Amino acid sequence: MSFISMNLRHLEYFVVLAEELHFRRSAERLGITQAPLSLAIQALEADLGARLFHRTRREVALTEAGLALLEDARAILARVEHARESVWETVSGDVGRLRVGFTNASSLSPMFPRLIHAYRTRRPKVNISLIELSSARQLEAIGERELDVGLLRAPQAGVPSGLVLTPLYTEPLLLAVQSRHRLAKAKRICLADLRDEPFIAYPRSAGVAVHEQTLALCAKRGFEPNVLQEAQQASTLIGLTATGLGVALVPASLRAITVPGVVFRTLEDEDTCTTLYVAHRYGDANARVAQFVELAHSLQ
């Protein structure tokens, strides 16, 4: 007879009776009558082919076989309880892994550190991995299950099917310009005023949504930006602006990058703004994803 087919409830009854060595007290502790307790012990003995207790009218005592089973029975019940707790923690989102994608610019927003700190505080047993990727690459990684959730900006081409993007907050696109540039002290600046300006921008191939948006906004005004210099990182882009090589359109959160000789100016155009989204797979049953998304919205 294998332990796999053994009734776990019978094992539980056995352990309680082995500890109490009294049928009435054991039944009271288990919240049952003595009859089902006796039947359970008899069934367990039949399964194992061994007597587990010496019974007389005055006393109950463990047999040698009962003593041998007691330690294993306690260990089996403990493992079952541990498995039950592990499953519950996983289903409830209290343990496991959460892979979070983020863009370079989103990491500089005040929301980002608050969100990550709050999530880690509320779910300390969850192993959270932070992975820096462009918006386009994040969408691919979420679709391919390499990421669970992402903080990104929507691409101009639209969102792949099977993914959900929910807006978190919208911020203006600012003009980053050298402090000695003619536009640095202009009273009003519109995007159309940048028609003849050289631009510093992210590479088109990098999949940065702000670059795509910049192209679309300029095209709307009848011109294509003259990208004189490309930069992979936000800090490099701002640093190159200080050289006077060109101007750049950046999310307002990049004002956190302080570089001497660079000023940030607001544009008058109403559509020069960008939205940060939280993205995940549609219908994802991962409780950790739902909790992260809910927390992100609660912090706005």
Side-chain angles (χ1 to χ4, degrees):
M1 181 66 192
S2 70
F3 279 94
I4 295 176
S5 62
M6 192 180 300
N7 190 311
L8 290 174
R9 181 167 295 176
H10 291 174
L11 278 183
E12 180 185 359
Y13 289 2
F14 163 75
V15 169
V16 172
L17 183 57
E19 292 172 349
E20 296 290 344
L21 294 177
H22 195 283
F23 272 87
R24 181 180 55 79
R25 289 198 303 267
S26 298
E28 290 175 352
R29 179 173 159 186
L30 291 165
I32 61 175
T33 62
Q34 293 185 50
L37 174 59
S38 295
L39 290 173
I41 298 302
Q42 291 172 17
L44 183 58
E45 289 177 329
D47 282 345
L48 294 173
R51 181 175 287 275
L52 301 174
F53 293 95
H54 294 299
R55 305 174 184 82
T56 68
R57 290 189 175 185
R58 293 186 176 183
E59 67 177 2
V60 176
L62 282 166
T63 65
E64 187 176 358
L67 284 169
L69 176 62
L70 182 57
E71 184 177 350
D72 286 335
R74 284 172 171 159
I76 291 169
L77 293 173
R79 290 296 299 172
V80 169
E81 182 60 26
H82 176 74
R84 183 181 291 114
E85 291 175 355
S86 295
V87 169
W88 170 246
E89 285 182 334
T90 301
V91 171
S92 65
D94 288 337
V95 298
R97 179 180 64 168
L98 185 69
R99 299 162 299 179
V100 180
F102 68 96
T103 64
N104 183 272
S106 67
S107 68
L108 297 170
S109 70
M111 180 276 302
F112 183 78
R114 288 194 297 118
L115 172 59
I116 301 304
H117 177 74
Y119 184 83
R120 294 184 68 232
T121 300
R122 299 185 189 192
R123 296 287 184 271
K125 294 182 180 179
V126 173
N127 179 17
I128 183 170
S129 300
L130 302 176
I131 304 164
E132 182 182 347
L133 293 171
S134 69
S135 294
R137 182 66 189 100
Q138 281 190 61
L139 291 174
E140 293 176 3
I142 294 171
E144 295 170 0
R145 297 185 177 274
E146 296 172 0
L147 284 180
D148 300 306
V149 64
L151 299 170
L152 50 84
R153 302 175 199 276
Q156 295 294 311
V159 180
S161 61
L163 301 187
V164 179
L165 266 65
T166 308
L168 290 179
Y169 69 87
T170 298
E171 61 182 331
L173 284 172
L174 301 181
L175 177 68
V177 62
Q178 186 191 52
S179 57
R180 295 190 298 274
H181 193 281
R182 64 179 182 85
L183 294 174
K185 296 182 180 180
K187 292 183 178 181
R188 297 176 68 255
I189 306 174
C190 295
L191 190 57
D193 297 330
L194 308 180
R195 180 183 302 271
D196 298 321
E197 294 291 332
F199 275 73
I200 301 172
Y202 296 102
R204 186 188 294 265
S205 61
V208 178
V210 168
H211 176 67
E212 295 180 359
Q213 186 179 5
T214 297
L215 295 177
L217 288 170
C218 292
K220 185 178 177 180
R221 288 155 178 83
F223 73 98
E224 181 178 351
N226 173 27
V227 179
L228 184 66
Q229 177 66 47
E230 293 182 340
Q232 293 281 354
Q233 298 295 323
S235 57
T236 306
L237 190 148
I238 302 299
L240 290 175
T241 302
T243 68
L245 279 173
V247 302
L249 285 184
V250 298
S253 53
L254 291 195
R255 283 183 297 195
I257 302 176
T258 303
V259 176
V262 176
V263 295
F264 297 91
R265 296 296 311 275
T266 301
L267 297 169
E268 296 292 322
D269 310 76
E270 293 184 357
D271 59 347
T272 51
C273 56
T274 180
T275 301
L276 188 73
Y277 295 83
V278 58
H280 60 91
R281 289 179 294 276
Y282 178 78
D284 197 326
N286 187 334
R288 295 176 294 279
V289 170
Q291 291 161 355
F292 185 89
V293 172
E294 181 180 355
L295 181 59
H297 285 291
S298 71
L299 295 177
Q300 298 312 305

